[in-house]
Amino acid sequence: MSAAFKAWISFYIPLFLPLLFSISNAVHPIPLNGTCHDSCGTIPVKFPFGTGFGCGHPEFARYVRCNSATLEFSTGTGIYTITSIDYPSNTLIVTDPLMSSCSSMQNSGSFSLDRASPFSLTGDNIFVLLGCSTTSPVFDPNEDLCDKGSVSRVCRGLYSCKGVSGIGLPQNAPISTCCVYESPIQLAGYALDLPKLQCSSYTSVYNFGGNEGDPMKWKFGISLQYNGSYYSNICKDCETSGGLCGFAGLDQSFACICRNGMNTSTSCFGQGDTLSGTWGSKIQTRFSFAGLVLLWLVLSL
């Protein structure tokens, strides 16, 4: 090896090595956590939701997850089933297993919605408190918590159901123990504390099913609006490439979860601007091998 070539190697190799290692690190794939899917049971799961930790947007991961083919919504008062999601309108319906309906009424727990969560109640909900004590604060004339215009129509309909026997009331009982509850907080945060309100049960009607006179056709559940502003161009590129949007690392940075079992920080192989999957691994190996060869040349000088 000539002295001139040795001098060239000695000068340029230190300049190339950092670049080679940085390229190698840039295409290094993130291991897939194996829990992200595009459906949970019969419900399609799209961003910002995910089926497990690391899937979807981190702001939603603590509230929504897939458990044994059931999509669940969690709050401070319990875990509820998500029965449907309407992505164009950014709404979803959740049901409380202890919430009453016309066919079955029972003592209920409470329901709350975290004020800091990306969810809020929609205007479709009609909350109804059932089997309330006559001393309940909802009947305080100074508070005006019951919608008196809806009490007759909604309460009479529910009290006509055979299910009222489940809370110790006869069918067609007086509606004086029923309240169509007007929450003072509708947009951000919600708390329905039944022990405090001295009521046995609650229900929520989000749709009358085209027949307000037949409570058996009413649709029971809680309609929620979610913040849809988290969708970004990088997530759109990921989905276009066949991947699922998620997050990784302690900083919860964006991760595109690819079908080939690897993740990237942008999009999946063949559809994005960066390398991923099998080709990314091969190129990384080639760069690493080239770096080792060049390092060997330097050490052999």
Side-chain angles (χ1 to χ4, degrees), residues 1 3-16 294 297-299 301:
M1 185 180 293
F5 184 71
K6 288 182 179 181
W8 185 89
I9 290 290
S10 299
F11 179 77
Y12 284 102
I13 290 305
L15 300 179
F16 286 138
L294 290 173
L297 287 174
V298 172
L299 293 176
L301 290 176

Side-chain angles (χ1 to χ4, degrees), residues 66-86:
C66 184
N67 182 24
S68 300
T70 299
L71 199 61
E72 296 179 337
F73 177 78
S74 299
T75 74
T77 50
I79 298 176
Y80 310 93
T81 300
I82 298 176
T83 57
S84 65
I85 302 177
D86 183 27

Side-chain angles (χ1 to χ4, degrees), residues 77-151:
T77 50
I79 298 176
Y80 310 93
T81 300
I82 298 176
T83 57
S84 65
I85 302 177
D86 183 27
Y87 290 98
S89 64
N90 294 341
T91 58
L92 66 156
I93 304 298
V94 303
T95 56
D96 181 348
L98 296 179
M99 186 176 72
S100 290
S101 66
C102 186
S103 58
S104 176
M105 296 189 190
Q106 56 194 320
N107 291 334
S108 304
S110 299
F111 176 79
S112 68
L113 195 61
D114 185 0
R115 184 183 293 271
S117 77
F119 298 92
S120 61
L121 293 172
T122 71
D124 296 330
N125 296 291
I126 298 177
F127 282 93
V128 188
L129 305 179
L130 306 167
C132 300
S133 166
T134 55
T135 59
S136 170
V138 298
F139 299 129
D140 186 340
N142 297 321
E143 296 294 337
D144 196 26
L145 294 177
C146 297
D147 181 0
K148 295 178 175 59
S150 300
V151 166

Side-chain angles (χ1 to χ4, degrees), residues 261-273:
M262 305 304 293
N263 297 357
T264 74
S265 59
T266 51
S267 61
C268 297
F269 169 70
Q271 300 294 331
D273 296 328

